[in-house]
Amino acid sequence: MNLRTVIIAVTAVTFLLSSCNKNNSSGSESLAEKSHGREETNDSSENVNALSFDNNNESAAYNKTSIEGNKEQGKTTIQIIEERIKAIGYQSDDPLKTNYTGPYDGWYTWHTRENNYDINDKTLSKEKLVSTLWLLDDELNKSYRLLFYSDDYFKMGSHYVGVDAFGKYKIEDGKVILYDYDHVQRDFYDKMFSSEEVIGELKFESDSFLVDNELLFNGVRFIPNGCPKLDGSHALIDGINAIAVNLKVVLTDNVKFRTEPNTNSKTIVPEIYEEIFHNEPNWRMPDCLVKGEVLTLYARTENLETIDGETAYWYYTGMPTIASYYDFGWIFGAWLEDYDETKKDEYFEMRRKYFE
């Protein structure tokens, strides 16, 4: 994977929080007063600043014609799905701008649907389903999305393979029901599509660190684009009670990136630095996030902690990996300051100097 691929993946994911950005000014914490220090020494590179669900651990060279799913008259499931979509006719004229076009360099381009998701509406309706993209929350398949259409059809797929699940939906008794569908063989599809009619329920108070709403089909979870967790609300992260935040910050020193909010937990190696800085004269893989790293913080611990004379919360954040997915973990918040867009180039130089 080259840097261009990483940048494409990073750019594509910034819509998750920004599309419904309320700035969350009420209850937001300012971090500008923090200066030098370190929970323990660290290093890092330019971050994506927003959680990405546009990435996939599957190879970008995935050949859709090789997928062997349910067969009908010798056709692959992909062929069956494409014929169904073509027969309906809206594929070439989609007012919601959610069609894919391609392939382009082996990828399909899913146009961004205009987001009209109303986080305050606690009902499940067709208008709510078609108002946004529903993003699969699966560790191995973050690029998958579910799209509902006003003509009672749904599609699922990703940039890499296009549409590989397709069918009809209806709403009954406050729940969405998927039926008359075709799909390829994937673990999460097999779990999700386990009966002729698949019932989905919209949950309005999720413990997710990222979003408040989620749509569940047989334990397979989708989260709506444009539904960020509001500042101050409760979040549960790997069994740890936390408070949701939405802050964009910069590291003022090297800081350890940890699996848990304590100094005894394992450190996470930010491998994305190798992709960006491997040609620098003093390149070595850092064991920390480096000074100048730009981060989006998603949650903090409930209680302050004092380490080496510095008192702060632990913050939950994410770093992209070379595989274009994310590693999530905790940093101690004593050495952060608020992000300044006018200093973007300066931040990059801070990171680069670590490897000189």
Side-chain angles (χ1 to χ4, degrees):
M1 174 176 292
N2 56 32
L3 181 57
R4 173 180 176 273
T5 305
V6 173
I7 292 173
I8 290 173
V10 162
T11 303
V13 299
T14 56
F15 67 79
L16 181 62
L17 296 180
S18 62
S19 60
C20 189
N21 185 7
K22 301 177 178 62
N23 293 324
N24 292 331
S25 56
S26 60
S28 294
E29 303 172 63
S30 175
L31 299 166
E33 75 281 1
K34 303 294 182 183
S35 59
H36 289 287
R38 59 189 178 193
E39 179 257 304
E40 310 126 283
T41 321
N42 273 6
D43 26 29
S44 135
S45 104
E46 178 139 27
N47 196 356
V48 175
N49 307 322
L51 176 62
S52 167
F53 288 92
D54 216 10
N55 308 312
N56 196 338
N57 288 347
E58 295 180 287
S59 169
Y62 195 100
N63 182 355
K64 70 173 185 175
T65 60
S66 69
I67 299 174
E68 292 296 326
N70 300 321
K71 290 190 174 181
E72 179 179 296
Q73 298 177 348
K75 299 176 182 177
T76 66
T77 303
I78 288 291
Q79 290 172 325
I80 295 170
I81 290 172
E82 289 180 339
E83 289 180 2
R84 289 187 65 185
I85 291 174
K86 183 177 180 180
I88 293 170
Y90 67 71
Q91 179 70 10
S92 60
D93 183 19
D94 180 7
L96 295 176
K97 297 182 179 179
T98 52
N99 285 337
Y100 66 89
T101 57
Y104 175 73
D105 290 342
W107 289 25
Y108 289 88
T109 302
W110 291 67
H111 300 292
T112 301
R113 170 175 282 181
E114 181 179 357
N115 178 44
N116 295 303
Y117 191 87
D118 184 358
I119 191 173
N120 297 311
D121 178 9
K122 303 299 184 182
T123 61
L124 190 152
S125 63
K126 178 183 291 188
E127 289 73 22
K128 178 176 282 290
L129 293 176
V130 304
S131 69
T132 189
L133 301 173
W134 297 84
L135 309 165
L136 177 65
D137 186 22
D138 179 87
E139 185 171 346
L140 298 179
N141 296 280
K142 290 292 185 182
S143 70
Y144 269 75
R145 66 264 332 275
L146 166 64
L147 296 88
F148 294 97
Y149 290 81
S150 56
D151 54 4
D152 303 326
Y153 285 90
F154 73 89
K155 294 193 295 190
M156 284 187 66
S158 73
H159 285 294
Y160 302 106
V161 300
V163 178
D164 60 7
F166 179 79
K168 298 180 180 179
Y169 76 94
K170 57 187 176 182
I171 297 175
E172 293 181 357
D173 299 325
K175 298 180 180 180
V176 58
I177 300 173
L178 310 181
Y179 66 103
D180 189 19
Y181 53 77
D182 291 289
H183 67 88
V184 301
Q185 299 296 308
R186 299 190 187 281
D187 288 344
F188 65 89
Y189 278 164
D190 293 341
K191 180 180 179 181
M192 178 177 174
F193 297 111
S194 59
S195 58
E196 290 187 5
E197 291 192 344
V198 180
I199 299 175
E201 184 173 1
L202 185 57
K203 183 179 178 182
F204 293 100
E205 294 182 1
S206 171
D207 282 330
S208 165
F209 72 88
L210 185 66
V211 296
D212 268 331
N213 296 177
E214 60 187 20
L215 186 59
L216 296 170
F217 294 96
N218 293 328
V220 179
R221 189 171 84 127
F222 295 85
I223 58 178
N225 174 36
C227 185
K229 200 81 168 181
L230 299 180
D231 276 4
S233 55
H234 177 263
L236 189 66
I237 304 173
D238 297 329
I240 300 169
N241 289 313
I243 305 298
V245 299
N246 185 9
L247 297 170
K248 190 172 183 179
V249 300
V250 179
L251 296 182
T252 60
D253 205 338
N254 304 323
V255 179
K256 294 289 186 181
F257 188 31
R258 294 189 171 277
T259 57
E260 298 177 12
N262 63 72
T263 57
N264 295 321
S265 60
K266 294 180 180 179
T267 58
I268 302 170
V269 176
E271 61 180 45
I272 191 64
Y273 291 140
E274 181 177 5
E275 183 75 16
I276 300 173
F277 297 111
H278 67 276
N279 288 324
E280 293 297 324
N282 193 28
W283 159 253
R284 73 278 191 199
M285 182 68 77
D287 64 348
C288 57
L289 304 183
V290 299
K291 179 180 178 180
E293 186 61 71
V294 179
L295 299 168
T296 292
L297 308 180
Y298 303 111
R300 64 165 174 81
T301 52
E302 294 182 315
N303 300 314
L304 292 164
E305 186 172 340
T306 299
I307 300 176
D308 294 338
E310 298 284 350
T311 300
Y313 294 105
W314 286 85
Y315 288 92
Y316 195 69
T317 188
M319 281 289 293
T321 69
I322 292 178
S324 296
Y325 180 51
Y326 269 69
D327 281 329
F328 293 100
W330 297 86
I331 60 171
F332 189 59
W335 305 287
L336 307 174
E337 67 179 17
D338 296 319
Y339 175 79
D340 184 346
E341 179 67 28
T342 65
K343 297 181 179 180
K344 182 178 180 180
D345 294 338
E346 180 181 333
Y347 297 147
F348 182 83
E349 282 302 307
M350 287 182 187
R351 296 191 295 274
R352 190 185 63 78
K353 285 181 179 180
Y354 179 90
F355 304 100
E356 285 185 341

